């Protein structure tokens, strides 16, 4: 069995694959070009790819024998799943293992922007800290404030769980209301998006990127938020209209933002990087050593199962089974 891996992932995953397959790994420390990706897929029975690889019809056309696409991420908006299903190709992802790590990162950037940590760090390093001052880097309180969670799946709920330690009021919105038991356990109240936006001090996005969630937060929604509120996005960049966000941050419609993901990743919308009221990190939500190893193991396990004709544990397109 031949496997193509589009980027070096933690060795545990590669070891698993190498035990049973002929494995080709992208030798470069960069995302493959479109042509390199297509050339790699041509030879493979199984593809292990990243969220930075667009796996569409053209890529699938490169190899009619491709059996499985194993994404090294929980989000799989980079793959045309419908097209894969039509062709009988299995698609898998890595849910669960990155939930807590991504929730931790969400909290890290939320705290950073609320308490102006990045600005204060820069100031201190530059030797500007001469004396304690009553008005130095005044930020916003997180404790006892209101957190609005948009998308109440695994990661959204893990973020809510952490909010209890800060004695926050938690609101959430989702296409589906969570079971009563979950709402009670997390002390989270369901509201519609409009109410969440106008009532929250921190709005944190945890929805998947779908045609229905593209630009979920645009000018209208940003204007609906409190002028003292912060927007946090560790989900997918295109959930937010980044041009509108830059205007909101410049013109003070909201107090600040913390972003792990970008609309046109890795590009930043002009103006974003010049602003002090935004914290920017390079899509590192799941980036802990342990979690990336678990993701590698999971992606490899999914791939191997698919290649052996078994049902992969994290199959995204179950409809594909009906065809075989
Ligand atoms: C995912 O798995 O979707 C994350 O964005 C990777 O960090």
């Amino acid at each position: 069995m031949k496997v193509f891996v589009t980027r070096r992932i933690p060795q545990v995953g590669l070891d698993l694959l190498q035990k049973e397959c002929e494995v080709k790994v992208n030798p470069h420390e960069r995302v493959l070009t479109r042509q390199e990706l297509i050339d790699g897929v041509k030879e493979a029975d199984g593809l292990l790819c990243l969220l930075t690889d667009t796996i569409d019809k053209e890529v699938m056309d490169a190899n009619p024998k491709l059996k499985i696409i194993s994404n090294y991420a929980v989000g799989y908006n980079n793959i045309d799943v419908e097209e894969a299903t039509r062709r009988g190709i299995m698609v898998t992802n890595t849910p669960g293992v990155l939930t807590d790590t991504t929730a931790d990162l969400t909290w890290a950037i939320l705290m950073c922007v609320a308490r102006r940590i990045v600005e204060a760090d820069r100031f201190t390093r530059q030797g500007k800290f001469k004396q304690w001052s009553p008005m130095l880097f005044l930020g916003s309180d997180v404790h006892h404030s209101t957190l609005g969670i948009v998308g109440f799946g695994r990661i959204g709920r893990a973020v809510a769980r952490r909010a209890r330690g800060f004695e926050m009021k938690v609101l959430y919105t989702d296409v589906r209301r969570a079971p009563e038991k979950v709402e009670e356990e997390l002390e989270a109240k369901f509201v519609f998006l409009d109410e969440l936006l106008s009532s929250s001090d921190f709005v944190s996005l945890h929805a998947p990127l779908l045609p229905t969630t593209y630009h979920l937060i645009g000018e209208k929604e940003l204007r609906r938020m409190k002028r003292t509120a912060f927007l946090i996005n560790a989900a997918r960049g295109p959930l937010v209209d980044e041009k509108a966000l830059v205007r909101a941050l410049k013109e003070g419609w909201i107090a600040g933002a913390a972003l792990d993901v970008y609309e046109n990743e890795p590009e930043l919308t002009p103006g974003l990087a010049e602003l002090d009221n935004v914290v920017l990190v390079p899509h590192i939500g799941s980036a802990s050593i342990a979690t990336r190893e678990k993701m590698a193991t999971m992606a490899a396990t999914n791939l191997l199962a698919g290649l052996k004709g078994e049902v992969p544990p994290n199959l995204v397109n179950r409809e594909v089974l009906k065809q075989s």
Side-chain angles (χ1 to χ4, degrees):
M1 295 182 293
K2 290 187 180 168
V3 168
F4 182 54
V5 182
T6 64
R7 192 80 183 262
R8 179 159 294 285
I9 58 168
Q11 195 58 40
V12 280
L14 296 178
D15 286 347
L16 278 177
L17 294 174
Q18 274 154 356
K19 263 192 223 146
E20 307 196 41
C21 307
E22 190 182 312
V23 184
K24 212 168 177 187
V25 183
N26 165 9
H28 312 290
E29 256 319 308
R30 60 165 170 79
V31 175
L32 293 173
T33 63
R34 186 92 182 137
Q35 195 52 53
E36 288 168 336
L37 174 62
I38 287 172
D39 289 344
V41 169
K42 266 183 199 155
E43 305 288 308
D45 302 300
L47 172 68
L48 194 151
C49 59
L50 312 189
L51 55 88
T52 43
D53 304 309
T54 301
I55 311 298
D56 56 13
K57 186 172 179 302
E58 192 193 6
V59 173
M60 295 179 215
D61 275 344
N63 181 357
K65 288 194 314 220
L66 188 66
K67 285 195 178 67
I68 175 161
I69 301 167
S70 168
N71 212 33
Y72 180 74
V74 64
Y76 46 85
N77 52 286
N78 56 307
I79 301 171
D80 186 341
V81 178
E82 220 174 279
E83 183 61 33
T85 308
R86 219 178 47 75
R87 294 168 185 241
I89 303 173
M90 289 177 268
V91 176
T92 63
N93 68 340
T94 61
V97 288
L98 48 76
T99 302
D100 284 315
T101 303
T102 306
D104 285 353
L105 186 277
T106 303
W107 272 91
I109 59 177
L110 182 155
M111 295 296 289
C112 272
V113 73
R115 297 300 301 273
R116 305 178 62 185
I117 301 298
V118 177
E119 286 175 82
D121 173 276
R122 214 179 292 135
F123 175 91
T124 310
R125 285 170 199 271
Q126 288 167 352
K128 293 182 181 166
F129 179 34
K130 303 295 182 203
Q131 52 193 211
W132 186 86
S133 162
M135 305 301 277
L136 190 59
F137 288 113
L138 302 188
S140 303
D141 277 329
V142 174
H143 66 84
H144 297 98
S145 64
T146 298
L147 173 64
I149 297 178
V150 179
F152 209 51
R154 272 180 290 254
I155 298 173
R157 292 177 195 189
V159 168
R161 191 163 291 118
R162 285 154 177 72
R164 299 183 63 191
F166 288 86
E167 299 182 63
M168 293 169 94
K169 178 173 171 189
V170 177
L171 305 176
Y172 80 92
T173 195
D174 199 299
V175 282
R176 247 171 289 127
R177 198 168 162 170
E180 221 170 286
K181 203 165 140 264
V182 173
E183 289 186 351
E184 274 170 23
E185 186 220 332
L186 299 176
E187 294 176 45
K189 182 177 171 219
F190 174 85
V191 290
F192 289 107
L193 183 61
D194 276 358
E195 185 180 340
L196 181 141
L197 294 170
S198 58
S199 313
S200 300
D201 300 301
F202 298 91
V203 173
S204 192
L205 307 182
H206 300 286
L209 176 60
L210 303 166
T212 48
T213 57
Y214 175 78
H215 280 192
L216 185 66
I217 305 296
E219 170 163 356
K220 181 166 83 58
E221 291 73 22
L222 289 161
R223 286 195 186 275
R224 202 169 182 94
M225 287 172 65
K226 296 184 192 177
R227 293 179 80 87
T228 51
F230 296 88
L231 179 73
I232 319 296
N233 189 7
R236 283 292 181 266
L239 296 179
V240 178
D241 176 349
E242 216 167 82
K243 279 202 188 108
L245 177 63
V246 170
R247 286 181 52 216
L249 292 168
K250 270 193 186 150
E251 295 171 16
W253 313 347
I254 63 172
L259 307 177
D260 181 39
V261 290
Y262 304 89
E263 186 171 352
N264 299 302
E265 224 167 282
E267 310 281 312
L268 302 184
T269 293
L272 195 59
E274 283 81 66
L275 297 169
D276 277 335
N277 55 347
V278 61
V279 166
L280 307 172
V281 293
H283 202 152
I284 53 170
S286 63
S288 76
I289 297 164
T291 291
R292 287 286 164 86
E293 287 187 346
K294 285 183 199 153
M295 287 167 66
T297 303
M298 197 176 226
T301 306
N302 282 330
L303 192 76
L304 290 171
L307 289 180
K308 287 179 196 161
E310 297 162 10
V311 179
N314 307 104
L315 184 62
V316 162
N317 54 346
R318 297 198 78 81
E319 314 86 272
V320 87
L321 300 175
K322 292 185 202 136
Q323 300 168 11
S324 50

